[in-house]
Amino acid sequence: MCGIAGIVNKHDGRDGSRAVVERMVSLVSHRGPDDRGIYEDDDVILGHARLSIIDLAGGVQPIHNEDRSLWVVFNGEIFNYIELRQQLQNDGHVFYTHSDTEVIVHLYEQYGDDFVNYLNGQFAIALWDKKKQRLLLLRDRAGIVPLFFSQDDQRLVFGSEIKSVLCGIGRKPAMNIAALDQIFTFWSPVSPNTLFEGVHELSPGHIAIYERGRLTSRRYWDWQFPEHGEYEAAGEDALADELHALLVDATRIRLRADVPVGAYLSGGLDSSILTCLIHHYGGVPLRTFSIGFEDDSLDESGYQQELIDHLGAEHTRILCRHEDIAARLEKTIWHTESAILRTAPVPMGQLSGLVHEQNYKVVLTGEGADEVFGGYDIFKEAKIRQFWARYPQSECRPLLLKKLYPYLDLSGGRGKAYVQAFFGAGLEQSAAPCFSHIPRWTTTSQIKMFYSDESRERLKADAVDAIRASLPEQIHQWHPFNKAQYIEAKSLMGGYLLSSQGDRMLMMNSVEGRFPYLDHRVIEFANRLPPKLKMKVLNEKYLLKQTMAKYLPKSVLERFKQPYRAPDIPSFFTGSTPEYVEEALSEDALDRSGYFDSKKVSMLLKKIKRGNAVSARDNMVFTGVLSTQIWHRLFIEDFESNILNHA
Amino acid sequence: MSIKQDIKTYILENYLFTDDDSQLSDSDSFLEKGILDSTGILEVIYFIEDEYGIKVEDEEMIPENLDSVESLVVFVQHKQGLKAS
């Protein structure tokens, strides 16, 4: 990965913008500490911070075509660049480097704007066509690599991270309160929103073109599912063979690098499968990294060790203690550039720090498998609620929820009415696209009681309406399981797991993550599968498990799925509470930012100090309010020192 | 303080995060108003068991007994009456 940044001016470009772009690049130097490059002409300035992974000596960006009429800055990897390069050379294109970046300019020459369809990779691309005076911005299909932009009537500013864009804009930013409301509903803003007013992300699978001062964008790829049940008809064995071949290839091409490649090993099924594939097919030594927790209920070290013993990997584990999270939250928010409702990203930043210390720049991760193959509890929950909705009076059907949430004691009527009230909400709308996610969103939304009157007044739209408006028309023709998958991929995965908990936590330590399960061929294959092969009764990721069972120890294959979590409130109150927490949640700071009701926050702190704040809601609101306050200080109050005058 | 005021203060402070009495009427449904979820009700049960020395039986964990300040007051008084007798 790398960092990119740039400005396209509608009028005279040589107005001091170069120095601005240099600062923009400097702000994302953690994404690319190895080298920097700038291209400048009368209309555009492109900047690049390089993390050298392929063609270490020759891949310095910006990179151009034969006659220097096309210039590109690029963050990411084109995994099929070897094959593309060969084809392009056969067609007469002349290369001057061995980097994957160079295929972009030649592919554009060959195929025009549709060149993106030939790429297998993770990427944010800015391509300047000097002859046509147009800039193309492109982002990969799943949204692994970030890309943000802002435009006014004078120019377009873009960058890998929002801090660069803010620097390019040069004005103190304001919060996009609608995006905060979306985070406090879905855990992430609805794309293309960001928490900053006037700064947008380029949505996954989109291409934007800036030409003659006008920006247009279109979707070039999306998660598509069969309509009216027209699924892949091949038998289970044949599908398993196809899946196996796809995953082997998706893993193999993601090991392409001129530096060593490692892997994250959580101890869960998905990362275990990946490490097995690397071990059997990668042709490289297996080097793995993991994180452990003091709290046994969060720690998966036992499963990690079992697989390490099974495969004989060289493994390094780091322990995340409560005080590590407290000490790292501010730095984490500097990189997420967003409020977060759980501290779970923090240990991921600690883990990438370990990888960096061990002199690794690239890791493969198992992220994406749960979305692609249907692994999350929310899919099971939705399936049970669909089953229940067929006969809402049933006493027995909701009892299936106990299989999913064993802590729900439904025996003898204990708490049953409450469980039914919670999971039974909206049963009459079982065909609605958002049916699967309504209980989760309703629960999360309860934390909005902490909004200040001012925030309530500023909020004009309902968050759920925003996500409904973003859904494709054809979703109504999809199976309920696929509807849930789409929403999960577009909300939590794209806006949170791949960003706040993914790219941002990796790149803060100059580490590139690669995601074989999010190879678009794997996604497209899985999307054609009948839902029953993803979840057989309530057995999640059925076909994936069947396909990969031969590689895995039985205990890993059959283990209870444990969601990745980190301690929230206990991280800040087990020992002494850090000063910045007291300051961020003080009445003065809360009144200055104005987002939250300072009296309510004060009551929450009292509850925490009494030791009574144990619920998921208390933990979410604490983390949400604290991270928003830190965000406000870092990006708004300290804008001049942190962004504008960044050295 | 009375049982009613104790319970009301507990709900206000711990779930509505306010000391403003007007935020909660005695008959407000905790479920309908989203004040408590299924784990929140367990915390309330711990509270009344500890505070009033009563034991809530499985079959008593129903909204009729636990879903508002006034239903909780009636329930606690009923249990205390049983205990005294």
Side-chain angles (χ1 to χ4, degrees):
Chain A
M1 296 277 198
C2 304
I4 64 173
I7 294 176
V8 191
N9 285 317
K10 197 171 171 184
H11 307 294
D12 182 12
R14 296 183 190 273
D15 60 353
S17 296
R18 182 184 177 109
V20 175
V21 173
E22 282 172 353
R23 275 204 303 281
M24 290 167 71
V25 172
S26 166
L27 276 159
V28 289
S29 59
H30 50 275
R31 302 185 69 90
D34 297 333
D35 210 341
R36 291 189 197 180
I38 292 265
Y39 166 80
E40 181 182 18
D41 66 24
D42 286 344
D43 306 284
V44 68
I45 304 160
L46 307 176
H48 185 257
R50 185 178 187 217
L51 182 66
S52 311
I53 289 172
I54 292 174
D55 190 7
L56 304 185
V60 177
Q61 297 188 37
I63 272 178
H64 55 80
N65 65 339
E66 293 92 334
D67 66 0
R68 294 173 171 257
S69 63
L70 296 172
W71 288 83
V72 68
V73 283
F74 158 60
N75 169 198
E77 301 294 343
I78 308 300
F79 297 118
N80 62 338
Y81 77 101
I82 294 174
E83 294 79 5
L84 290 172
R85 179 189 171 95
Q86 189 60 55
Q87 289 165 19
L88 289 162
Q89 283 178 321
N90 292 345
D91 289 329
H93 294 271
V94 179
F95 284 71
Y96 74 99
T97 76
H98 289 89
S99 74
D100 55 336
T101 312
E102 197 180 350
V103 300
I104 294 169
V105 287
H106 298 297
L107 211 57
Y108 174 73
E109 285 180 309
Q110 188 77 14
Y111 299 109
D113 297 355
D114 289 337
F115 81 95
V116 68
N117 297 319
Y118 295 82
L119 303 178
N120 183 335
Q122 53 192 54
F123 47 81
I125 297 170
L127 176 64
W128 173 240
D129 184 335
K130 195 174 175 180
K131 286 180 187 161
K132 293 184 179 170
Q133 293 284 291
R134 67 201 297 253
L135 180 86
L136 286 82
L137 297 176
L138 305 102
R139 192 162 173 225
D140 65 71
R141 297 167 177 89
I144 295 166
V145 181
L147 184 55
F148 300 94
F149 65 90
S150 179
Q151 64 164 332
D152 58 24
D153 53 2
Q154 297 298 314
R155 61 199 180 145
L156 175 80
V157 178
F158 65 88
S160 293
E161 296 190 7
I162 298 172
K163 50 182 75 70
S164 285
V165 176
L166 297 177
C167 179
I169 296 168
R171 284 190 311 275
K172 189 186 278 275
M175 174 189 271
N176 175 356
I177 193 80
L180 181 74
D181 195 48
Q182 289 160 7
I183 294 168
F184 275 46
T185 311
F186 317 118
W187 291 37
S188 70
V190 176
S191 185
N193 288 328
T194 73
L195 199 48
F196 297 84
E197 196 70 61
V199 181
H200 310 284
E201 73 162 2
L202 181 63
S203 298
H206 274 67
I207 171 171
I209 298 168
Y210 190 70
E211 201 168 10
R212 288 182 284 278
R214 191 164 158 264
L215 185 73
T216 56
S217 74
R218 67 175 171 86
R219 193 195 300 269
Y220 71 85
W221 186 90
D222 200 7
W223 293 58
Q224 291 291 333
F225 295 94
E227 296 180 17
H228 310 293
E230 291 163 357
Y231 293 105
E232 188 67 64
E236 195 174 307
D237 289 345
L239 291 170
D241 287 345
E242 191 176 345
L243 175 58
H244 185 273
L246 271 173
L247 284 177
V248 168
D249 196 58
T251 305
R252 182 184 62 81
I253 62 174
R254 278 165 183 75
L255 292 169
R256 288 175 170 171
D258 295 327
V259 293
V261 178
Y264 277 174
L265 179 60
S266 72
L269 180 77
D270 310 326
S271 63
S272 298
I273 289 172
L274 269 191
T275 48
C276 288
L277 288 174
I278 297 169
H279 177 72
H280 289 284
Y281 300 98
V284 294
L286 187 54
R287 182 73 171 91
T288 52
F289 304 92
S290 71
I291 195 142
F293 292 95
E294 291 174 309
D295 183 343
D296 286 345
S297 68
L298 306 174
D299 188 65
E300 298 189 84
S301 300
Y303 290 107
Q304 294 160 7
Q305 192 58 49
E306 200 164 331
L307 201 74
I308 294 155
D309 294 342
H310 180 70
L311 296 176
E314 185 188 349
H315 183 76
T316 310
R317 182 182 299 126
I318 193 166
L319 179 69
C320 178
R321 300 161 303 169
H322 288 150
E323 58 264 37
D324 294 323
I325 291 178
R328 290 165 181 269
L329 184 67
E330 289 178 293
K331 190 177 177 191
T332 300
I333 302 303
W334 173 248
H335 288 280
T336 63
E337 303 179 322
S338 179
I340 52 177
L341 301 187
R342 283 285 169 90
T343 61
V346 185
M348 297 307 292
Q350 196 179 352
L351 180 57
S352 70
L354 169 72
V355 174
H356 181 78
E357 280 168 19
Q358 299 287 317
N359 296 315
Y360 273 71
K361 289 181 173 179
V362 184
V363 286
L364 268 58
T365 100
E367 203 66 72
D370 283 319
E371 291 81 359
V372 174
F373 294 101
Y376 286 128
D377 282 351
I378 199 167
F379 301 134
K380 287 187 190 175
E381 180 190 299
K383 193 170 181 178
I384 294 169
R385 290 174 62 244
Q386 285 283 351
F387 178 60
W388 181 12
R390 290 186 191 181
Y391 181 35
Q393 293 77 23
S394 171
E395 292 280 316
C396 300
R397 294 184 182 211
L399 297 183
L400 283 168
L401 289 164
K402 198 182 167 190
K403 272 187 148 342
L404 194 52
Y405 305 115
Y407 60 85
L408 294 176
D409 184 355
L410 302 175
S411 62
R414 191 180 175 103
K416 194 164 80 181
Y418 293 95
V419 170
Q420 291 198 351
F422 174 69
F423 292 107
L427 278 191
E428 69 285 358
Q429 295 171 30
S430 60
C434 299
F435 173 79
S436 52
H437 285 65
I438 290 297
R440 182 205 280 175
W441 294 344
T442 304
T443 306
T444 306
S445 294
Q446 287 167 349
I447 66 178
K448 297 178 188 179
M449 77 166 80
F450 282 76
Y451 286 172
S452 64
D453 291 342
E454 186 189 335
S455 291
R456 283 178 216 288
E457 279 166 25
R458 285 175 64 197
L459 277 168
K460 293 183 177 62
D462 180 62
V464 176
D465 285 345
I467 213 164
R468 281 198 191 104
S470 72
L471 299 174
E473 187 55 37
Q474 59 269 36
I475 196 170
H476 297 283
Q477 313 303 327
W478 296 347
H479 188 283
F481 195 89
N482 298 146
K483 290 176 185 170
Q485 278 187 282
Y486 186 88
I487 290 170
E488 190 66 10
K490 289 308 179 98
S491 56
L492 198 70
M493 185 185 86
Y496 172 76
L497 293 174
L498 292 179
S499 55
S500 290
Q501 199 170 297
D503 171 86
R504 304 317 190 79
M505 294 302 99
L506 288 152
M507 292 311 300
M508 71 188 282
N509 289 305
S510 315
V511 175
E512 173 178 291
R514 295 180 175 184
F515 305 77
Y517 293 110
L518 293 176
D519 184 308
H520 71 277
R521 298 168 303 168
V522 175
I523 299 175
E524 288 167 359
F525 167 81
N527 288 0
R528 293 195 302 271
L529 293 173
K532 67 182 179 188
L533 288 184
K534 292 177 184 164
M535 186 172 291
K536 197 154 195 170
V537 191
L538 290 179
N539 182 8
E540 80 279 4
K541 291 186 284 200
Y542 170 77
L543 188 68
L544 181 66
K545 285 180 189 168
Q546 291 296 107
T547 305
M548 298 296 166
K550 59 189 170 192
Y551 299 118
L552 295 166
K554 204 173 171 193
S555 57
V556 171
L557 198 64
E558 294 178 352
R559 62 166 292 195
F560 183 74
K561 184 174 169 57
Q562 180 171 328
Y564 164 69
R565 281 188 52 203
D568 299 304
I569 288 174
S571 299
F572 302 90
F573 294 92
T574 302
S576 59
T577 302
E579 219 169 88
Y580 78 84
V581 176
E582 303 278 9
E583 158 56 24
L585 300 181
S586 67
E587 189 177 343
D588 179 48
L590 288 159
D591 290 346
R592 276 202 321 269
S593 63
Y595 310 129
F596 302 108
D597 181 330
S598 59
K599 283 188 180 160
K600 277 193 167 33
V601 175
S602 163
M603 299 286 270
L604 172 68
L605 288 173
K606 283 181 190 160
K607 184 178 181 183
I608 291 170
K609 286 169 184 171
R610 287 197 302 271
N612 291 342
V614 293
S615 69
R617 188 197 299 182
D618 292 339
N619 278 279
M620 274 197 289
V621 78
F622 172 78
T623 312
V625 171
L626 177 60
S627 60
T628 306
Q629 287 292 105
I630 294 170
W631 174 91
H632 180 83
R633 178 171 53 77
L634 291 174
F635 294 100
I636 296 186
E637 289 188 339
D638 295 343
F639 171 73
E640 281 81 6
S641 57
N642 285 343
I643 307 278
L644 201 58
N645 302 320
H646 176 80
Chain B
M1 276 201 290
S2 66
I3 292 176
K4 184 196 277 186
Q5 198 53 49
D6 278 347
I7 290 174
K8 194 165 182 174
T9 302
Y10 174 77
I11 299 291
L12 283 167
E13 284 184 353
N14 288 281
Y15 301 98
L16 292 170
F17 302 94
T18 179
D19 50 14
D20 177 2
D21 261 21
S22 69
Q23 298 288 310
L24 180 69
S25 82
D26 296 347
S27 59
D28 279 345
S29 162
F30 300 154
L31 273 176
E32 284 174 17
K33 298 230 163 190
I35 296 167
L36 294 180
D37 57 17
S38 56
T39 55
I41 196 62
L42 295 178
E43 291 171 31
V44 172
I45 290 167
Y46 285 131
F47 170 73
I48 60 171
E49 285 186 342
D50 290 347
E51 199 72 9
Y52 303 110
I54 59 175
K55 183 172 187 313
V56 182
E57 303 296 337
D58 283 357
E59 59 275 15
E60 292 171 329
M61 292 182 194
I62 53 175
E64 287 77 3
N65 289 334
L66 309 170
D67 195 39
S68 67
V69 172
E70 65 188 16
S71 63
L72 273 167
V73 172
V74 170
F75 178 66
V76 168
Q77 287 173 335
H78 169 69
K79 293 290 285 187
Q80 284 183 324
L82 287 178
K83 199 176 154 194
S85 64

